[in-house]
Amino acid sequence: AQKITQTQPGMFVQEKEAVTLDCTYDTSDQSYGLFWYKQPSSGEMIFLIYQGSYDEQNATEGRYSLNFQKARKSANLVISASQLGDSAMYFCAMREGSGTYKYIFGTGTRLKVLA
Amino acid sequence: NAGVTQTPKFQVLKTGQSMTLQCAQDMNHEYMSWYRQDPGMGLRLIHYSVGAGITDQGEVPNGYNVSRSTTEDFPLRLLSAAPSQTSVYFCASRARPSGNTIYFGEGSWLTVV
């Protein structure tokens, strides 16, 4: 069965440093999509970055990059130059297969950026 | 830019009461869905719809009802609220068929006492 695993319940990072949030997934589909969302303390879910299973390049969006290692089934989020506003809960998610509409989410990692 | 709009934002219900969480989107998205978020469990899919008149169950559908009479609206009904339904509820939508990313509403905090 498809599954998303985030093994880090909480992380600390010093301001201006880079941090990697881990995400592994399990699927038998060849076509799938991987996502990261940010949930600040205000509660909304903010889309950060997307990686398709056939994309050869790692996705990047500003200070966010997705380290996609297909053979290891990992899709880690890298945040460069952390800012205090990056303190939030981060969720990894996967769209199962192509042409489907079911998204599964990991349990999240709470990131705290220290001044 | 309204995006996905959910109402109400906060609600307290008594056990056994019924209520409807409203969700509307103005992006002409065909796909809409409802998730619940519980501590330590991430988001779990309740119901989803791929177009007007079409709905399907997700991972945790029991106790919830949905309908999709228009493209814009996708209400979630709690038939007889139970304390186990205390949660944060998110509505989400995406374009179909080419869209990949789902966009969320701001969430609805529901407490059942």
Side-chain angles (χ1 to χ4, degrees):
Chain A
Q2 286 86 347
K3 189 178 179 182
I4 291 280
T5 303
Q6 293 180 256
T7 57
Q8 306 154 313
M11 292 275 289
F12 290 95
V13 64
Q14 207 67 36
E15 194 178 10
K16 298 180 186 177
E17 291 187 349
V19 63
T20 298
L21 306 184
D22 294 341
C23 173
T24 59
Y25 60 92
D26 188 19
T27 181
S28 56
D29 292 314
Q30 296 302 306
S31 176
Y32 50 89
L34 297 157
F35 306 80
W36 279 91
Y37 287 84
K38 172 184 178 181
Q39 186 177 43
S41 58
S42 52
E44 70 269 31
M45 295 286 286
I46 301 168
F47 165 72
L48 295 178
I49 197 165
Y50 164 78
Q51 178 87 40
S53 59
Y54 293 120
D55 295 340
E56 294 185 353
Q57 303 271 2
N58 285 343
T60 60
E61 292 286 349
R63 294 186 298 110
Y64 304 108
S65 60
L66 198 153
N67 185 0
F68 181 45
Q69 298 188 41
K70 197 168 182 176
R72 296 181 59 188
K73 293 189 174 179
S74 74
N76 298 339
L77 178 69
V78 181
I79 305 174
S80 63
S82 297
Q83 301 172 355
L84 295 178
D86 294 333
S87 294
M89 186 74 116
Y90 289 81
F91 290 97
C92 181
M94 178 170 67
R95 186 201 72 238
E96 301 178 275
S98 62
T100 69
Y101 307 95
K102 293 188 178 180
Y103 294 72
I104 57 171
F105 286 78
T107 53
T109 295
R110 185 168 297 281
L111 178 67
K112 175 72 175 175
V113 180
L114 305 173
Chain B
N1 249 7
V4 181
T5 304
Q6 289 181 234
T7 55
K9 193 167 179 69
F10 300 98
Q11 183 73 48
V12 179
L13 281 181
K14 292 183 179 178
T15 297
Q17 285 186 318
S18 62
M19 78 156 297
T20 299
L21 298 176
Q22 301 290 347
C23 176
Q25 52 87 14
D26 62 358
M27 299 175 282
N28 203 30
H29 285 174
E30 291 189 327
Y31 171 80
M32 297 184 73
S33 56
W34 278 101
Y35 289 83
R36 60 177 288 172
Q37 182 181 19
D38 301 295
M41 301 192 73
L43 279 78
R44 292 181 294 168
L45 180 64
I46 304 172
H47 284 286
Y48 68 99
S49 168
V50 298
I54 306 168
T55 63
D56 205 350
Q57 296 181 349
E59 181 185 357
V60 288
N62 293 339
Y64 306 95
N65 210 351
V66 292
S67 60
R68 185 92 180 271
S69 56
T70 67
T71 300
E72 293 78 19
D73 300 300
F74 190 46
L76 178 72
R77 297 182 187 84
L78 279 71
L79 308 172
S80 177
S84 60
Q85 293 178 303
T86 293
S87 189
V88 183
Y89 292 85
F90 286 95
C91 182
S93 74
R94 63 159 255 207
R96 170 181 180 257
S98 58
N100 281 304
T101 304
I102 53 173
Y103 296 93
F104 287 88
E106 293 186 339
S108 296
W109 274 252
L110 176 66
T111 301
V112 183
V113 298

